[in-house]
Amino acid sequence: MNICDLRMSLQVDTVGREMYQFISDLYPICRSITGNGFRETLHNIQRHMPLEIHEIATGSQVFDWTVPKEWNIRDAYVKNSRGERIIDFRKSNLHVVNYSVPIRKKMSLSELKEHLFTLPDHPDWIPYRTSYYKESWGFCLSHKQWSALEDEEYEVYIDASLENGHLTYGECYFQGNELNEVLISCHACHPSLCNDNLSGIALAVFLAKYLHSLPLRYSYRFLFIPGTIGSITWLCLNEHQVSKIKHGLVLANVGDSGSSTYKKSRRSDAEIDRAAIHVLKHCGEDYEIVDFSPYGYDERQFCSPAFNLPVGCLMRTPHGCFPEYHTSADNLDLVQPSYLANSFLKCLSVLSVLENNLTYINKNPKCEPQLGKRGLYRAIGGPEGDVDELAMLWVLNLSDGSHSLLDIATQSGYPFEMIQRAANVLQEHSLLKEQSL
Amino acid sequence: MNICDLRMSLQVDTVGREMYQFISDLYPICRSITGNGFRETLHNIQRHMPLEIHEIATGSQVFDWTVPKEWNIRDAYVKNSRGERIIDFRKSNLHVVNYSVPIRKKMSLSELKEHLFTLPDHPDWIPYRTSYYKESWGFCLSHKQWSALEDEEYEVYIDASLENGHLTYGECYFQGNELNEVLISCHACHPSLCNDNLSGIALAVFLAKYLHSLPLRYSYRFLFIPGTIGSITWLCLNEHQVSKIKHGLVLANVGDSGSSTYKKSRRSDAEIDRAAIHVLKHCGEDYEIVDFSPYGYDERQFCSPAFNLPVGCLMRTPHGCFPEYHTSADNLDLVQPSYLANSFLKCLSVLSVLENNLTYINKNPKCEPQLGKRGLYRAIGGPEGDVDELAMLWVLNLSDGSHSLLDIATQSGYPFEMIQRAANVLQEHSLLKEQSL
Amino acid sequence: MNICDLRMSLQVDTVGREMYQFISDLYPICRSITGNGFRETLHNIQRHMPLEIHEIATGSQVFDWTVPKEWNIRDAYVKNSRGERIIDFRKSNLHVVNYSVPIRKKMSLSELKEHLFTLPDHPDWIPYRTSYYKESWGFCLSHKQWSALEDEEYEVYIDASLENGHLTYGECYFQGNELNEVLISCHACHPSLCNDNLSGIALAVFLAKYLHSLPLRYSYRFLFIPGTIGSITWLCLNEHQVSKIKHGLVLANVGDSGSSTYKKSRRSDAEIDRAAIHVLKHCGEDYEIVDFSPYGYDERQFCSPAFNLPVGCLMRTPHGCFPEYHTSADNLDLVQPSYLANSFLKCLSVLSVLENNLTYINKNPKCEPQLGKRGLYRAIGGPEGDVDELAMLWVLNLSDGSHSLLDIATQSGYPFEMIQRAANVLQEHSLLKEQSL
């Protein structure tokens, strides 16, 4: 069974349900860019795939950055004068500004309000806020709840620690025929947010799980890292070997109902860009292609000028473009098994193009070879074209050493699989050989 | 008289009627990819232009192909139980599947039907079918006739021979100032089908007839060949000299009422591509430009990867895109003198561009030369522009050695002839010289 | 105060009124390509800016051309049989065909009419006609007046001289940090026509006036020349130093109500082309970009093939495209202070882009630098993007030595000023260095 067979035989519905269940399991954990929530998440992933867990000490220099203190939180609340927990971390980990320093203090409403964040336009939703690089504390709550706060004394309590420790990330590598690598990266630092980015984590995990046992051309590297500081740390530690990365995808927001979006790498016409665009163009659904920009997810770091890696980003609705983004409404209702499965299949299709995008040489380049005597041509000439025959003619005509199968698919307008099948048949009949052989 | 004078002085209506008459003469002949019908066609052509006839023996190896047996047919019919010729080759040579092996046999309707071909969507038309590379036999008939066949015994008779012999083709070469060649090729293997491709044959013949006596820059080579096997055979025999072909056109389907279509060469921006596109763009009629694809006519072979010749295809309605294609409805009503003449004129315009597409050097490249003192400028400056003066300014400005006249026409948006006239006037006034001189 | 500060602090309304007043002052003067009207115009300009006046003798060879005789006119009229000046040069200098030879003669209406020019489509307007390079004479008048001429004897008088003398032009050069130059050229040879080209003269004068005292990167050269013969003469005299011209603009028709039009240089993607297009694209108003063509104004000469200088043309409505063009209706009503000021501001913006279009190197190209610890990042991560922060990320990502700030502005879609500000901030924080340093 190879990657094409997998694509054909896959029980897509089952994969979608499994991904959704995995998201449901991880949803309650309070993750951050460091700390035990992140570790617990990696341990969950290890139940599905082999994963090496790396711990980098606080204070380590990683390029222009410093690995921050480790943050852990146990409990947090705001109590009113009657001692009721009116904001309660146990109800939603979004209630606490992520990376808040510990505090235990009584204060008036007006003092408290300087530390409260709401979304007036979505009065029922809790926003998601962070304060990674400035020591601070705060609570997030629905605007409706905020509006009902009375002018009394409140007790504020955050039982958190921000201390020397480690930054944690997970890495999985399995070797293919080549040492050239495909990098799959996702940020795993967000607390209870489903689309952003438990969906990306789930997609990476299930890709690894299914690809792991297949014979593959490329080696594969999966990263589960905290956003920004994680990719910076990984790039700093692995600077000597990034040249092996021939293609890469950052996965994020792949579970919502929006159409698929591919954000190009900084190079804009890398093979991963052309493969992803080809797959979306032929998927029969709406899709968006967006140019590279230096914000979004970790492609920012992979595509920084000194690295400029061929890494694009596969999403459904992009970051900041769905109203539930970075709010409590990015929950288990926003992502659905069918969208997750659809993203999985598209991602697999992209990888299948990369795996099979070889360049062939027509062994018979002077005029067409006689397909008929090899049983590759309809016997009675008539007006109906046999599409696979035309695909064979395209492959023969363009296999001059300067066109890969993806180039041929693009120029002919045929789906990659049809061109690949035609190439396989021609190779079986000794009409084609691989360029490198 | 040069090619421009010819274009201006041509009696276009007369040419159209002559081409139509020529098609009418050739229409009844039963051609195939080999055999006497093809020879008779070439003899007809010889009445209009010098033509060398080549005979290549059955069994000759031509690249991956073998020259097939020669097919000749004398008579064929299907008789019903009352001895009536209900399908009669003498009424239409399309009734017999082209290249059918000989047969004389009685059979039931059900056995017969395995060898009958019809067009249910066009119940009055006879389809055109071939079986060149698989020994087989069959009859084509209207679906209406097929539906009326009764369940009785039939006598099937095809008085044909499929034996060692020759593949025949016609070639005409006349030398111009340069040994660089323009190739004009058309397939001449179809029986009674007018648009595909008696029209292409007629266009090639009348081009040769009119160009033959003119002073020409390029040498010209005209090929009248059986489709596919003919171009493969010619390329195999002439492999050593194809590098002389600088421009080429395959002519097919040039007599129907559709708008002109130019299919680009595999190179996509060869001079022939730019010349043909320029002419169609300025013809004042609808037109289509289509990209190269490795199917259609003999451009498939000329543009195979090892040759990759700059050969495009000029048509009206492309192959397979008119309902009468490969049926008895591709008859003398489908092609008309006016469409043939129109195609002739466009083709002549394309050749005129190629013949005159020189690159000049402005001898006065520092600022504009003073056109006024040479009588090339309107005397009283006023608001009305003189278009030819602007054409002169374009030629002067862009004649820096890197722009041909066609480049200048394209960039300025002017018709080639206007740019050519301007260049001629400037050369007469010693303001321009040919780059190569 | 630098050019950016000037753009911000400028009293635009005042500049517009000053330009309009300047035009009003110059309007009555009868200019031509040579003579005292041209000199008087240059003396007027000298009241606003330093200007060197050059005099080139009649008969001097300038490339293919010869400096013509100097034309001066004192008076001209046509009197009817009652001795009334029915066409009177004192009422409008457009009444006399510019460069008319002297004449004093009585003649019949029919003889007179061979020398009269009108605009039948605009019966109230006087056309503007010239006869520079053919010795001739004539009068221009409204078609209404022409229609009322009676069949009587007329006295024709043109008190003009066409004698050996000089061609005059004005030049202003001031040196910047670099010897590389920006060329600003305008034709100053038209008599009482406001948009074409007192508007261009006024724009050049006020640019020079305001730029003169600023610290500038480039050196600036302003030319006030007669059309065609003036630029040819200047290029001939300065051929040895034109390679210093890195950017150039011809200014014409910049005072009418039409939208701004930029005509590209012959190179089509010179930095001046990209700067002008960028400014128009971001100006929030309609605009037109037109390709280079070898007619129009003096860009014809600057862009002749041997020079091919990066000189575009900034206009509002192009030459020949407004009905008042080259008529008495191109008067003080056609141009307005607000349009003049708008053109001034756009021109200043283009020059500001050129002055500031440096290429920087990201000193921290491996991943993003940590903006937060430098106070360049919002402290509490939330959904609202800070546009300037994004501009910084664009500058950092693309400052790899192959993208200038204008390239970055174009690729990011941000206005140049925002990218420039971001680069300045990054340089202040030692995150960026100039490429050349």
Side-chain angles (χ1 to χ4, degrees), chain B residues 173-275:
Chain B
Y173 173 80
F174 42 87
Q175 197 175 310
N177 280 341
E178 301 180 13
L179 291 181
N180 290 325
E181 291 180 15
V182 177
L183 176 74
I184 306 287
S185 178
C186 55
H187 64 284
C189 51
H190 286 184
S192 295
L193 298 171
C194 283
N195 200 34
D196 177 18
N197 189 27
L198 291 174
S199 71
I201 300 169
L203 178 48
V205 166
F206 280 78
L207 281 173
K209 187 173 179 168
Y210 278 91
L211 289 179
H212 187 245
S213 55
L214 298 182
L216 292 165
R217 171 184 175 191
Y218 288 111
S219 299
Y220 281 77
R221 189 177 299 277
F222 290 82
L223 298 182
F224 301 88
I225 52 181
T228 306
I229 187 65
S231 51
I232 291 169
T233 298
W234 187 86
L235 281 163
C236 188
L237 295 174
N238 294 276
E239 191 179 349
H240 59 288
Q241 59 173 341
V242 294
S243 65
K244 288 190 290 186
I245 298 172
K246 298 304 174 195
H247 320 286
L249 281 177
V250 168
L251 303 178
N253 305 335
V254 292
D256 66 280
S257 64
S259 54
S260 288
T261 301
Y262 178 72
K263 175 183 169 181
K264 293 188 203 175
S265 78
R266 184 178 183 270
R267 299 185 185 186
S268 86
D269 65 346
E271 192 172 336
I272 181 67
D273 299 319
R274 293 185 296 114

Side-chain angles (χ1 to χ4, degrees), chain B residues 366 368 370 373-374 397, chain C residues 64-65 239 266 300:
Chain B
K366 294 175 180 172
E368 293 169 10
Q370 193 178 359
K373 72 183 181 190
R374 295 172 176 89
N397 189 273
Chain C
D64 189 54
W65 300 62
E239 190 179 349
R266 184 178 184 270
R300 291 160 68 149

Side-chain angles (χ1 to χ4, degrees), chain A residues 135-205:
Chain A
E135 296 205 352
S136 168
W137 66 268
F139 283 85
C140 300
L141 67 165
S142 74
H143 198 69
K144 193 180 278 178
Q145 193 180 3
W146 181 90
S147 306
L149 290 176
E150 284 171 30
D151 192 3
E152 55 183 325
E153 193 184 60
Y154 291 92
E155 181 194 349
V156 171
Y157 178 56
I158 300 181
D159 177 15
S161 60
L162 187 61
E163 294 165 354
N164 285 343
H166 291 85
L167 175 151
T168 312
Y169 69 83
E171 184 167 10
C172 165
Y173 173 80
F174 43 87
Q175 196 174 311
N177 279 341
E178 302 180 13
L179 291 179
N180 290 324
E181 290 180 15
V182 177
L183 176 75
I184 305 288
S185 178
C186 56
H187 63 285
C189 51
H190 287 185
S192 295
L193 298 172
C194 284
N195 200 33
D196 179 16
N197 190 29
L198 290 174
S199 71
I201 299 169
L203 179 47
V205 166

Side-chain angles (χ1 to χ4, degrees), chain C residues 65-118:
Chain C
W65 300 62
T66 307
V67 171
K69 290 178 185 166
E70 181 175 327
W71 185 69
N72 284 295
I73 185 165
R74 284 158 295 275
D75 193 11
Y77 57 76
V78 173
K79 281 189 181 165
N80 63 11
S81 56
R82 290 181 302 281
E84 297 160 344
R85 289 169 86 118
I86 56 158
I87 308 178
D88 188 353
F89 173 73
R90 295 177 311 195
K91 290 193 181 157
S92 166
N93 55 42
L94 299 183
H95 274 315
V96 175
V97 168
N98 205 290
Y99 249 62
S100 283
V101 295
I103 189 165
R104 170 154 235 159
K105 194 180 171 193
K106 297 204 171 185
M107 59 185 68
S108 67
L109 177 61
S110 70
E111 188 182 351
L112 175 62
K113 277 191 167 174
E114 289 173 24
H115 294 268
L116 298 184
F117 301 94
T118 70

Side-chain angles (χ1 to χ4, degrees), chain C residues 87-383:
Chain C
I87 308 178
D88 188 353
F89 173 73
R90 295 177 311 195
K91 290 193 181 157
S92 166
N93 55 42
L94 299 183
H95 274 315
V96 175
V97 168
N98 205 290
Y99 249 62
S100 283
V101 295
I103 189 165
R104 170 154 235 159
K105 194 180 171 193
K106 297 204 171 185
M107 59 185 68
S108 67
L109 177 61
S110 70
E111 188 182 351
L112 175 62
K113 277 191 167 174
E114 289 173 24
H115 294 268
L116 298 184
F117 301 94
T118 70
L119 294 167
D121 289 347
H122 294 286
D124 289 319
W125 297 354
I126 308 164
Y128 162 58
R129 291 282 181 127
T130 68
S131 185
Y132 299 142
Y133 299 104
K134 184 181 169 197
E135 297 206 352
S136 167
W137 66 268
F139 283 85
C140 300
L141 67 165
S142 74
H143 197 69
K144 193 180 277 178
Q145 193 181 3
W146 180 90
S147 305
L149 290 178
E150 283 171 31
D151 193 2
E152 56 184 324
E153 193 184 62
Y154 291 93
E155 182 195 345
V156 170
Y157 178 57
I158 299 181
D159 178 15
S161 61
L162 187 60
E163 294 165 355
N164 285 343
H166 291 84
L167 176 150
T168 311
Y169 69 83
E171 184 167 9
C172 165
Y173 172 81
F174 42 86
Q175 198 174 310
N177 280 341
E178 302 181 12
L179 291 179
N180 290 324
E181 291 180 14
V182 176
L183 176 75
I184 306 287
S185 178
C186 56
H187 63 283
C189 51
H190 287 183
S192 295
L193 298 172
C194 284
N195 200 33
D196 178 17
N197 189 28
L198 291 174
S199 70
I201 299 168
L203 178 47
V205 166
F206 280 79
L207 281 173
K209 188 173 179 167
Y210 279 91
L211 289 179
H212 188 245
S213 55
L214 298 183
L216 292 165
R217 169 184 176 192
Y218 288 110
S219 299
Y220 282 77
R221 189 177 299 277
F222 291 82
L223 298 182
F224 301 89
I225 52 181
T228 305
I229 187 66
S231 50
I232 291 169
T233 299
W234 186 85
L235 281 163
C236 188
L237 296 174
N238 294 276
E239 190 179 349
H240 58 289
Q241 59 173 341
V242 294
S243 64
K244 288 191 289 187
I245 298 172
K246 298 304 174 197
H247 320 285
L249 281 177
V250 168
L251 301 178
N253 305 335
V254 292
D256 65 281
S257 64
S259 55
S260 288
T261 301
Y262 177 73
K263 175 183 169 181
K264 293 186 202 176
S265 78
R266 184 178 184 270
R267 300 185 186 186
S268 85
D269 66 346
E271 191 172 335
I272 181 66
D273 299 318
R274 293 184 296 113
I277 291 168
H278 180 87
V279 166
L280 293 188
K281 206 166 170 174
H282 285 271
C283 71
E285 305 164 15
D286 287 345
Y287 66 94
E288 293 283 335
I289 306 295
V290 296
D291 285 332
F292 176 77
S293 59
Y295 29 92
Y297 295 107
D298 286 312
E299 68 277 8
R300 291 160 68 149
Q301 312 308 331
F302 297 121
C303 297
S304 57
F307 293 115
N308 196 23
L309 294 174
V311 175
C313 181
L314 189 68
M315 303 168 275
R316 296 185 80 87
T317 307
H319 106 283
C321 297
F322 49 101
E324 302 88 349
Y325 175 77
H326 278 199
T327 76
S328 57
D330 181 359
N331 59 23
L332 288 163
D333 294 331
L334 187 66
V335 300
Q336 290 299 325
S338 61
Y339 308 134
L340 292 162
N342 179 290
S343 295
F344 179 86
L345 208 57
K346 282 171 181 161
C347 205
L348 204 59
S349 296
V350 173
L351 298 179
S352 180
V353 169
L354 296 175
E355 285 281 324
N356 292 288
N357 186 24
L358 299 173
T359 299
Y360 290 93
I361 302 286
N362 178 346
K363 293 170 75 176
N364 228 322
K366 294 175 180 173
C367 300
E368 294 169 8
Q370 193 178 357
L371 298 180
K373 71 184 182 191
R374 295 171 176 90
L376 301 175
Y377 201 82
R378 60 190 193 278
I380 298 280

